[in-house]
Amino acid sequence: MMSKMMIQIENLYRTFHHGSNEVSVLKEINLNIRQGECVVLKGVSGSGKTTLLSLIAGLDKPSAGKVLIEGEPISKLPDLFASELRAKKIGMIFQHFNLFEHLSVNENVTIPLIPSGLKMKEIHEKVDESLTLANIIHKQETLASRLSGGEKQRTAIARALVADPNIILCDEPTANLDRDNSLLFIDILGKLHSMGKTIVIATHDPLFDSLSFESTIVPMVDGKIV
Amino acid sequence: MNTNAFWHFLSLQLFKERSKHLSIIGISVMILFLLSSVLFISSSLRFTLEETLKVQPDFVVNRIQGGTAVSTPEIWGDELLDIYGVSKVTPRVYGRYFFEAKGSSFLIVGVDFLEEQSHENLQILIDSTDIKDFFNGNQMLVGEGVKAYLDAHFYKDSYNFLTPKGVFKKVNIFKVFPSQTNLIANDMMVMPIDLARKILGYTDDEVSDITFSVPNPDEWNMMTDKVSALHYDLHVVNKNDVQKSYENLYNYKGGLFLILFLVVLATFTLILYQRYSMVYSTERRHIGLLRALGWSINDVLKLKFMETLVVVFISYILGVFIAYVYVFIAGAPLLKEVFLGGQNLHNTLSFVPVLDFSVLTSIFLLYALPFIAAVLIPVWRVSVTDPKEAML
């Protein structure tokens, strides 16, 4: 039986305006990603993969076309619903980790659950689970500013997983990691893949060319899927 | 949003970014302290003034010739008494006596100690004075400011007045007025009316002015016209006019401070606005990140609003409390001189504690609204932009 469609991208365009100049970053993108799939968007810097990831996450709005998450058009939803969709269905891992440096690992991972309506006890349980999965529970009381690059990345993974989303989006996840930490990250991705998570990775790292688990490479050049 | 989780995160944010919040609270407390002190002093002075005016005579008339106050014939008192509705007609002799060497002056007030006084406090003071003892020689009652000034110039028990005829008149200090009366009595010397006439150069049938009461307030407006019609050079002032003049004076001083405060507040608001708007990139990035992690615009605004409210509330409590201690317990050193500094003798007036709800509300609104707006408007602007753009 075919798994359900998680992400549908239809005729997607993204254009930026700088004064009188118009820069098309994404052109005519069509892509369907099913549940449990791992898709690697590959391309050099400026090929539009990060922009595409932002549009999937609803962090940016398309100039034309649409992105559907489990059938819902995220870019057209009112803020309250788009935020809820983002909180429940999407976990995002950023290139620069984007942690709150003044908060501890534990507190950083708690943040996505604050608006969820869960009680503190439930939140703590979920946070512990997520920290264990990302192998960073031993640093839970450490301030984010005192972590190494690899530890920051694992904290970001724990934060992305804490709400148990179906979709994990990773933007250049190994760009700031050494080889050992990058391999460790790929191991964790393998675990998530085996859990049935839908994973989309935007990267130019060759380590993602031959992953140990099933993945689809989608090459991007100049804002187009080739 | 679960309330417990929200409060937990709010307290976390406040505690973890305490240096930022403490610096804002520090500046806020200073601004609130300044504003509260000025408003406390103004309201206390207004209260004292109202209390003082309550016991003042309703009307005062004197003679003005060529735009200058000259001595008033005492006989005018009888004419006033003939007007229906007028009571308690009292002639007064008073005037400034200049202490040439130091450029200061005292207010000499001559009273007829055997008659009922137009000023209730004066009556109370005289009632508590042993008249027989008082008339035993040239005596006077003096305000605290006068006493302190004379002491400083080695006139411990008496003072030698130089009359307009060039003769020295030695007058003993009989008693000092209590400090509660300092707003009006600080530079005052009260003495028998005949003695005051000699020192100030009045003849026996002349007085400085004449006071009277009109118990029915509805007759006040008409009374001014009636009395003015008696003589072309007669000048009438009622208690309301005096109150307005004093209020204008204190409002003017308080107003100057309010303008200064508004300038400071505007600057502070601008700094806050800049801090939370485009200029302050960390704050912007944090808001974008919260949005990217699934927080709605409302969630972000609620967090920032509550964060700001806690800062505003703590600042308000501290600022008002310190101002209260400064004004009503410490006696507002420095600021007191600004409000009372126009007087020629040092005034030891202590401010009566007045906690007016409208003043407290004004302080809160004057401070809290610009503060909250300065924070929330930029936060809202950042919140409604796409998270990706905010995180850049």
Side-chain angles (χ1 to χ4, degrees):
Chain A
M1 195 180 122
M2 253 187 154
S3 54
K4 70 171 177 177
M5 196 64 77
M6 291 300 286
I7 303 167
Q8 288 167 274
I9 300 169
E10 296 172 4
N11 273 328
L12 196 71
Y13 285 81
R14 183 66 175 107
T15 307
F16 292 99
H17 299 272
H18 293 285
S20 56
N21 292 340
E22 205 177 80
V23 183
S24 290
V25 178
L26 290 177
K27 294 163 224 163
E28 209 187 342
I29 303 285
N30 287 288
L31 185 66
N32 290 328
I33 303 170
R34 293 191 174 275
Q35 185 180 4
E37 255 192 281
C38 176
V39 172
V40 181
L41 302 171
K42 283 221 73 175
V44 294
S45 290
S47 59
K49 48 192 195 303
T50 297
T51 306
L52 180 55
L53 219 57
S54 299
L55 289 168
I56 296 171
L59 304 181
D60 194 8
K61 287 196 169 57
S63 306
K66 57 184 172 183
V67 177
L68 303 173
I69 303 292
E70 290 188 48
E72 290 195 82
I74 190 165
S75 55
K76 301 235 164 75
L77 289 174
D79 169 67
L80 199 64
F81 296 100
S83 301
E84 197 180 341
L85 189 77
R86 212 159 34 227
K88 288 184 176 166
K89 295 187 176 170
I90 299 169
M92 182 96 190
I93 298 166
F94 302 94
Q95 179 180 350
H96 298 291
F97 320 125
N98 276 344
L99 298 176
F100 285 83
E101 298 284 317
H102 62 286
L103 298 181
S104 69
V105 167
N106 194 314
E107 290 154 358
N108 263 289
V109 178
T110 306
I111 293 171
L113 297 179
I114 301 293
S116 66
L118 294 172
K119 290 180 179 164
M120 276 313 288
K121 193 182 165 207
E122 293 170 287
I123 290 176
H124 285 312
E125 284 169 6
K126 280 178 173 285
V127 168
D128 283 353
E129 245 174 68
S130 186
L131 289 171
T132 308
L133 187 63
N135 195 20
I136 192 71
I137 194 151
H138 59 290
K139 291 275 183 180
Q140 63 174 320
E141 298 302 333
T142 310
L143 279 182
S145 57
R146 294 192 183 156
L147 297 174
S148 67
E151 289 166 341
K152 282 184 180 177
Q153 184 64 294
R154 276 178 276 149
T155 306
I157 295 169
R159 187 178 63 187
L161 296 176
V162 74
D164 194 22
N166 283 328
I167 300 167
I168 307 288
L169 305 176
C170 312
D171 182 18
E172 299 283 4
T174 54
N176 291 307
L177 299 181
D178 57 25
R179 186 178 164 78
D180 287 349
N181 274 311
S182 298
L183 291 173
L184 199 63
F185 175 76
I186 290 170
D187 268 357
I188 295 170
L189 275 191
K191 272 194 230 170
L192 299 178
H193 184 254
S194 64
M195 289 163 69
K197 304 282 183 197
T198 307
I199 302 168
V200 183
I201 307 156
T203 186
H204 62 271
D205 190 338
L207 280 175
F208 288 87
D209 290 347
S210 52
L211 292 173
S212 58
F213 49 91
E214 195 185 335
S215 61
T216 310
I217 293 182
V218 177
M220 288 187 72
V221 176
D222 288 340
K224 281 186 171 177
I225 293 174
V226 289
Chain B
M1 189 182 284
N2 182 287
T3 315
N4 281 343
F6 174 78
W7 288 112
H8 170 80
F9 189 67
L10 175 66
S11 56
L12 202 65
Q13 277 289 92
L14 288 166
F15 179 73
K16 291 289 177 98
E17 292 190 302
R18 57 187 176 278
S19 56
K20 177 184 102 178
H21 291 118
L22 283 175
S23 62
I24 295 175
I25 287 174
I27 299 169
S28 303
V29 166
M30 277 194 286
I31 292 174
L32 277 161
F33 161 72
L34 181 69
L35 173 68
S36 309
S37 299
V38 170
L39 291 180
F40 281 164
I41 291 173
S42 300
S43 56
S44 176
L45 283 176
R46 191 167 293 119
F47 174 80
T48 310
L49 181 66
E50 281 167 7
E51 290 299 301
T52 307
L53 286 174
K54 267 184 200 167
V55 294
Q56 291 278 13
D58 297 340
F59 282 83
V60 178
V61 297
N62 66 344
R63 191 179 206 177
I64 300 282
Q65 284 183 338
T68 310
V70 294
S71 57
T72 308
E74 194 172 3
I75 194 91
W76 284 9
D78 295 339
E79 295 173 30
L80 288 168
L81 207 51
D82 288 342
I83 300 174
Y84 184 76
V86 170
S87 63
K88 287 188 185 172
V89 176
T90 313
R92 299 192 304 193
V93 171
Y94 65 87
R96 290 244 151 235
Y97 183 88
F98 286 88
F99 191 83
E100 298 288 350
K102 300 289 176 185
S104 300
S105 65
F106 312 126
L107 179 67
I108 292 177
V109 178
V111 295
D112 190 337
F113 284 81
L114 300 176
E115 286 192 9
E116 190 183 355
Q117 301 305 312
S118 59
H119 194 296
E120 284 180 28
N121 280 350
L122 203 55
Q123 185 65 53
I124 293 165
L125 285 169
I126 289 166
D127 287 346
S128 65
T129 305
D130 184 342
I131 296 291
K132 197 175 163 190
D133 202 14
F134 185 71
F135 281 116
N136 187 18
N138 290 334
Q139 316 263 23
M140 61 180 171
L141 308 168
V142 297
E144 272 195 346
V146 177
K147 176 66 177 149
Y149 192 83
L150 293 181
D151 279 350
H153 293 87
F154 308 106
Y155 295 101
K156 298 282 182 192
D157 306 315
S158 61
Y159 183 71
N160 287 314
F161 291 94
L162 184 63
T163 68
K165 289 179 179 167
V167 180
F168 279 104
K169 196 93 187 161
K170 185 182 175 187
V171 182
N172 298 320
I173 298 168
F174 185 73
K175 206 172 183 178
V176 180
F177 291 139
S179 58
Q180 292 91 320
T181 61
N182 273 2
L183 190 63
I184 57 158
N186 188 52
D187 64 347
M188 205 182 263
M189 293 170 148
V190 177
M191 57 183 70
I193 196 162
D194 292 335
L195 180 59
R197 276 194 175 106
K198 281 181 186 132
I199 293 171
L200 296 170
Y202 286 99
T203 60
D204 288 348
D205 56 357
E206 285 176 346
V207 292
S208 308
D209 60 25
I210 301 167
T211 67
F212 62 92
S213 291
V214 177
N216 180 3
D218 293 340
E219 289 185 35
W220 278 35
N221 284 338
M222 209 164 45
M223 189 57 70
T224 304
D225 296 337
K226 278 186 192 172
V227 172
S228 301
L230 286 176
H231 298 277
Y232 75 96
D233 52 354
L234 190 149
H235 177 240
V236 192
V237 179
N238 68 37
K239 197 155 67 173
N240 293 341
D241 297 332
V242 178
Q243 185 170 11
K244 274 178 201 156
S245 317
Y246 273 104
E247 277 180 355
N248 284 345
L249 177 67
Y250 292 126
N251 286 347
Y252 163 73
K253 289 182 173 180
L256 276 180
F257 265 91
L258 273 181
I259 289 167
L260 280 176
F261 167 77
L262 288 176
V263 171
V264 173
L265 186 68
T267 313
F268 182 57
T269 305
L270 201 67
I271 293 167
L272 272 176
Y273 188 84
Q274 279 193 318
R275 186 181 168 86
Y276 280 89
S277 59
M278 310 302 174
V279 181
Y280 196 48
S281 61
T282 312
E283 196 70 32
R284 208 177 138 75
R285 204 174 61 81
H286 281 177
I287 293 167
L289 188 55
L290 286 175
R291 298 268 293 110
L293 295 174
W295 285 51
S296 66
I297 294 170
N298 283 349
D299 294 333
V300 173
L301 286 178
K302 186 181 170 189
L303 177 76
K304 291 295 166 188
F305 176 74
M306 294 311 295
E307 205 177 289
T308 310
L309 204 63
V310 170
V311 170
V312 164
F313 195 68
I314 292 173
S315 310
Y316 176 74
I317 297 288
L318 282 176
V320 169
F321 176 74
I322 296 171
Y324 185 92
V325 172
Y326 170 74
V327 174
F328 298 127
I329 296 174
L334 298 177
L335 262 188
K336 181 180 175 179
E337 303 307 320
V338 176
F339 275 87
L340 303 174
Q343 296 174 344
N344 73 94
L345 295 183
H346 178 71
N347 199 324
T348 54
L349 173 81
S350 52
F351 296 108
V352 180
V354 179
L355 270 188
D356 188 347
F357 180 73
S358 64
V359 169
L360 293 175
T361 311
S362 306
I363 295 169
F364 188 78
L365 294 180
L366 269 172
Y367 178 70
L369 288 185
F371 189 112
I372 291 172
V375 174
L376 285 193
I377 292 171
V379 166
W380 171 77
R381 280 179 54 194
V382 176
S383 300
V384 296
T385 56
D386 287 327
K388 189 189 168 195
E389 197 183 318
M391 283 160 64
L392 285 175

